[in-house]
Amino acid sequence: MLDLTRRWFTLAVATGAATGSLASGGRTVEVWVELTEEPPAATVAASAAARQRERVASQQDRVGETLARLGGIELARIRANGNAIAVRIDSTRLDAVRAIDGVKSVRPARSLHPPQTGGGT
């Protein structure tokens, strides 16, 4: 299902089909929602890494449910090299997205590549 969503998203972005939302009266946007829980570092023990991966997954599940309640359509998740969810949502809901507990930042998704983390942006 996620692979099909990614394919549709790629096609929609390439053709410009995913630029507006008549149903909501606003404009839909695709954004990366970066979360606060860090993925496990490569240098930690396997058991500690497993626990940290579980914390990341749990946070993503919780935030993903909240995004869905706000009308967001999930496009992708990043867990290995970061902690982020790509979502398509009405632009009028972005302040509500930023207010979700555990959200670190919200950035435009120009592609399904994850946001750069740890930078000065």
Side-chain angles (χ1 to χ4, degrees):
M1 172 82 170
L2 187 57
D3 186 49
L4 181 61
T5 301
R6 286 180 183 169
R7 289 180 187 179
W8 181 89
F9 178 69
T10 302
L11 176 65
V13 170
T15 63
T19 58
S21 171
L22 297 175
S24 66
R27 180 166 111 48
T28 56
V29 292
E30 290 80 28
V31 294
W32 278 106
V33 180
E34 186 179 357
L35 306 178
T36 56
E37 197 68 56
E38 293 293 327
T43 57
V44 300
S47 60
R51 285 190 302 274
Q52 187 60 26
R53 280 192 298 276
E54 181 57 36
R55 284 192 288 272
V56 168
S58 178
Q59 184 181 47
Q60 286 188 354
D61 289 344
R62 183 181 46 76
V63 172
E65 290 171 6
T66 304
L67 291 168
R69 284 194 301 273
L70 290 172
I73 298 170
E74 187 173 313
L75 304 171
R77 290 184 182 197
I78 303 300
R79 289 186 181 167
N81 297 330
N83 182 7
I85 301 173
V87 66
R88 180 180 306 112
I89 195 162
D90 190 290
S91 62
T92 62
R93 300 293 193 138
L94 291 178
D95 286 337
V97 171
R98 288 182 187 96
I100 297 170
D101 184 42
V103 170
K104 184 176 183 178
S105 68
V106 177
R107 300 178 186 173
R110 292 178 182 84
S111 69
L112 286 183
H113 296 286
Q116 296 295 322
T117 59
T121 59

